[in-house]
Amino acid sequence: VENLENPYKKQTNFDNRFKLSLNKLYAWSLSNYDRVVMLDADNLFLKNTDELFQCGSFCAVFINPCIFHTGLFVLQPSMEVFRDMIRELEVKRDNPDGADQGFLVSYFSDLLNQPLFRPPNNRSTVLTGHFRLPLGYQMDASYYCK
């Protein structure tokens, strides 16, 4: 992909290692797919997670009471959403960290008020809407450190 220009790179708190992280937004342009499960390279699945493909149009795990993590999220591709996100970058939507996580938390600001994802019993059922994923889908290494 062509790297998305990061309009937040001059923020005082910007960490340069995240300068290309907005390229994750291209996942919404993968309109040949029904669902996309986005994973950071440092993720490790410990069990089958096929049920994630039944999740709604956007699903993510909250790593603290107010911020969801973008190391793993589920989305329904949409060129309309992708184009809207690009417009929001152009007008510099509020982004506390200048990276993909701050942008997506701002863009999907209603996610905290959405229901918790529970996989449907029927494996062919695909849910609509936004859902919070249970914490077990995205555990940080600090949960395992003593």
Side-chain angles (χ1 to χ4, degrees):
V1 297
E2 182 179 326
N3 289 327
L4 289 175
E5 181 67 26
N6 190 320
Y8 308 103
K9 62 187 174 192
K10 293 192 183 335
Q11 284 183 189
T12 56
N13 67 334
F14 184 72
D15 186 332
N16 203 40
R17 68 187 171 125
F18 295 121
K19 69 181 177 183
L20 299 178
S21 67
L22 291 173
N23 287 340
K24 282 186 181 180
L25 303 184
Y26 278 112
W28 274 269
S29 72
L30 299 172
S31 56
N32 291 337
Y33 300 95
D34 295 327
R35 290 285 182 283
V36 172
V37 177
M38 284 291 299
L39 303 169
D40 279 354
D42 60 355
N43 276 292
L44 172 67
F45 282 133
L46 301 176
K47 66 177 190 168
N48 186 338
T49 56
D50 288 351
E51 70 269 7
L52 287 175
F53 290 98
Q54 293 177 273
C55 202
S57 56
F58 184 75
C59 306
V61 177
F62 279 81
I63 56 173
N64 75 37
C66 300
I67 299 173
F68 63 82
H69 193 261
T70 58
L72 178 149
F73 58 91
V74 181
L75 65 100
Q76 181 179 10
S78 164
M79 285 306 295
E80 180 181 339
V81 172
F82 177 68
R83 284 190 288 271
D84 187 57
M85 288 176 164
I86 299 303
R87 277 191 299 275
E88 291 293 321
L89 286 177
E90 291 168 356
V91 299
K92 289 183 75 171
R93 167 185 276 280
D94 184 47
N95 184 341
D97 65 9
D100 62 291
Q101 185 161 301
F103 179 83
L104 291 172
V105 167
S106 175
Y107 192 85
F108 293 104
S109 61
D110 68 334
L111 192 62
L112 183 59
N113 300 321
Q114 301 307 312
L116 192 63
F117 171 67
R118 305 250 188 252
N121 291 333
N122 180 342
R123 291 179 185 244
S124 64
T125 300
V126 178
L127 302 175
T128 59
H130 299 172
F131 292 89
R132 293 175 291 120
L133 290 172
L135 183 60
Y137 286 107
Q138 180 68 44
M139 302 283 295
D140 187 273
S142 63
Y143 288 98
Y144 296 101
C145 296
K146 292 184 178 186

